[in-house]
Amino acid sequence: MDERLVRETVRNLWAREALAGLSEFVAIPALSPAFDADWARTGHLHAAVEHVRAYLAERPIAGATAEVVELPGRTPVLLLDVPAREATTTETVVVYGHLDKQPAAGTWSPGLGPWTPVVKDEKLYGRGAGDDGYAGYAAATALEALHAAGGRHARTVVLLETGEESGSPDLAAYLEHLAGRLGRVGLVVCLDTSGADYERLWLATSLRGIAFLDLTVRVLTSGVHSGHGSGLVPSSFRVLRELLDRIEDPRTGRMKLPELEVEVPADRLAEIRVAAEEGFLTPQLPLADGVRYVSDDPVELVLNNTWRTTLSITGADGLPPILDAGNVLRPYTSLKLSFRLPPTVDAGSALQAIEKALTTDVPFGAQVELARAEAADGWNATPRAPWLESTLDEVSAEVFGKPWRALGLGGTIPFLGLFGRAYPDAQFVVTGPRGPGNNAHVPDEWLHLEQTERVTEAVARILHAHATA
């Protein structure tokens, strides 16, 4: 393979066809179903799928077919199926991305808008540019560059779903539906994550799971004067505090239920320590004046954010606004509980343990109501094969000029858990060009174009190396 030609082809395609196609994609308000319940009628998701399908169908990639698959009542999936080229492996490569988008989410800067693509300072601004519209264009560009430069690759299927921003509720059905067609998947490349800078290749190696539910504690059928009732009946908030203290130590934030804790794998701990030594683990958050982080040790902070359960109260009901609050012993308090779970915790078992702790031997016989309880597993990457480790080293040195780094992510991306269960023996490359300040999900979202070119080139070379691994 002519590596110089791979780089030139990637750069030329991104400068012309790919950037133009992605810019047109930005203009389509293809909101995820969670934000557009009437998506089938409004047609924006279908318009986005058809736009990208037409682009992929026109690419000069020998033998490639671009097809829309749509199961009844589910959001569509777009597939680009490219036959193997001079590969010795019979494995299939799946390259993942998504085409649904978050809403505009507030006011954008002057001259920018969610559905108005703008190229400025080597960045493409617009909703879906970085999350995650670039993925299909990057995958096709990588394959086209391989063909132009005499490279090889295993059979490669680019799978672009349209429900990721809603939690990928339809993806499991599609993976089952396509199982026979995809065959034995040996490599999964997920183009939907971010790194800690724009100078090197970043791999995500773990994601936390999640469990959440609405908790209501009720002590009265209606509110009463606090002077008449307090001291006779416990406040609903007092009962809530005691219930939550069964789960979380309020001083340390550590969990008390064994179902919520795991031992951190040695390889993940080593990755965290390497990144800490290089100064990548100090988070930048908008702290209020005088507020400190929970630890001065950056390794401990990252472990808290990636491999330990945390509880956040993300909503409340039964509490009037302060200006409207009278001297009333309120009848109930409701809280939205959100638990971020370690990557290898069984989310279903964790949720059951939480529910049991909240409903067993409730103080003073208060009524406890649980609603909208859901859980999703996290994901931990399989150990890297020697061929992938050496390829990452080589690609990082020659494409980025700096060593690649791995990190865990504190959020939850359900599709990775689905892929992990569907292909437990596959190698995973979870990467992307996003980084600090890219504004995914908020106003002024942008895509770093130079980093996108580098990541695309890296994907091409990884596909080439896998073909004979």
Side-chain angles (χ1 to χ4, degrees):
M1 181 179 68
D2 186 338
E3 294 168 352
R4 178 191 55 81
L5 187 54
V6 169
R7 176 170 300 179
E8 290 181 359
T9 304
V10 166
R11 289 179 175 176
N12 289 337
L13 286 173
W14 267 114
R16 299 194 305 269
E17 290 95 329
L19 179 56
L22 179 56
S23 297
E24 293 176 3
F25 168 81
V26 165
I28 304 172
L31 296 183
S32 195
F35 309 104
D36 181 9
D38 205 17
W39 61 269
R41 186 188 63 81
T42 55
H44 297 309
L45 275 182
H46 285 100
V49 169
E50 176 54 29
H51 173 74
V52 179
R53 187 209 62 80
Y55 176 88
L56 297 177
E58 293 175 356
R59 307 320 307 159
I61 305 173
T65 59
E67 174 190 357
V68 178
V69 179
E70 186 165 0
L71 296 175
R74 298 190 181 276
T75 52
V77 164
L78 175 58
L79 300 179
L80 175 69
D81 196 335
V82 185
R85 178 185 173 93
E86 299 181 14
T88 59
T89 179
T90 59
E91 295 178 342
T92 300
V93 177
V94 172
V95 182
Y96 169 90
H98 68 87
L99 301 176
D100 56 315
K101 306 180 184 183
Q102 288 275 328
T107 302
W108 291 50
S109 296
L112 303 177
W115 323 121
T116 304
V118 174
V119 176
K120 179 182 178 183
D121 300 327
E122 294 301 311
K123 301 172 183 176
L124 172 61
Y125 287 85
R127 179 65 80 225
D131 188 19
D132 186 43
Y134 75 87
Y137 297 92
T141 297
L143 288 163
E144 195 168 339
L146 281 179
H147 284 226
R152 55 184 181 259
H153 59 80
R155 180 198 173 200
T156 301
V157 178
V158 181
L159 188 157
L160 305 175
E161 69 155 319
T162 55
E164 193 276 340
E165 301 291 4
S166 303
S168 299
D170 298 330
L171 184 58
Y174 279 110
L175 292 182
E176 181 179 357
H177 176 71
L178 297 169
R181 177 170 171 179
L182 294 178
R184 185 167 63 94
V185 175
L187 173 62
V188 178
V189 179
C190 293
L191 295 175
D192 185 24
T193 189
S194 58
D197 66 17
Y198 295 98
E199 298 179 3
R200 69 192 72 221
L201 182 66
W202 288 92
L203 268 62
T205 51
S206 68
L207 288 151
R208 286 194 290 184
I210 192 169
F212 52 88
L213 70 158
D214 298 343
L215 167 63
T216 297
V217 170
R218 188 178 301 274
V219 295
L220 298 167
T221 57
S222 62
V224 299
H225 192 295
S226 61
H228 296 163
S230 62
L232 302 177
V233 178
S235 76
S236 57
F237 199 88
R238 173 185 168 188
V239 177
L240 267 172
R241 285 189 302 171
E242 185 170 342
L243 291 176
L244 294 179
D245 285 354
R246 295 176 175 181
I247 299 171
E248 178 193 46
D249 184 325
R251 185 180 62 84
T252 65
R254 298 296 292 270
M255 296 295 116
K256 298 180 178 180
L257 304 180
E259 293 88 350
L260 306 185
E261 295 290 282
V262 298
E263 183 177 350
V264 182
D267 53 350
R268 298 289 92 92
L269 187 56
E271 292 170 355
I272 291 170
R273 286 173 173 162
V274 167
E277 291 174 357
E278 298 179 349
F280 286 115
L281 303 183
T282 303
Q284 299 296 320
L285 299 177
L287 298 179
D289 288 345
V291 174
R292 303 186 307 273
Y293 287 106
V294 299
S295 173
D296 295 326
D297 184 344
V299 172
E300 285 298 304
L301 290 178
V302 174
L303 289 173
N304 286 344
N305 186 243
T306 59
W307 278 93
R308 291 173 183 154
T309 298
T310 55
L311 167 60
S312 300
I313 308 300
T314 60
D317 202 358
L319 295 162
I322 291 176
L323 292 179
D324 297 335
N327 294 320
V328 176
L329 181 63
R330 296 175 298 101
Y332 74 94
T333 304
S334 296
L335 298 179
K336 178 77 171 183
L337 309 184
S338 176
F339 294 86
R340 293 290 179 175
L341 305 172
T344 54
V345 155
D346 183 305
S349 297
L351 181 57
Q352 289 179 1
I354 292 167
E355 292 175 330
K356 182 179 179 180
L358 295 173
T359 56
T360 302
D361 297 328
V362 178
F364 306 103
Q367 295 180 4
V368 171
E369 304 164 17
L370 305 181
R372 300 195 301 173
E374 294 187 37
D377 288 331
W379 168 79
N380 184 41
T382 52
R384 284 181 292 274
W387 74 264
L388 180 55
E389 193 88 19
S390 61
T391 300
L392 291 172
D393 291 341
E394 180 180 302
V395 167
S396 294
E398 298 179 6
V399 177
F400 295 84
K402 293 188 176 182
W404 62 278
R405 289 291 177 253
L407 46 75
L409 301 181
T412 305
I413 304 180
F415 76 78
L416 272 172
L418 293 173
F419 276 115
R421 291 190 293 274
Y423 314 122
D425 299 322
Q427 293 290 290
F428 278 78
V429 176
V430 182
T431 188
R434 295 202 307 271
N438 70 90
N439 284 3
H441 295 198
V442 298
D444 297 356
E445 176 184 337
W446 50 265
L447 177 68
H448 193 291
L449 296 177
E450 185 176 354
Q451 180 74 342
T452 302
E453 292 176 3
R454 288 192 290 263
V455 170
T456 302
E457 182 182 351
V459 169
R461 294 182 59 163
I462 291 168
L463 295 179
H464 177 75
H466 168 261
T468 56

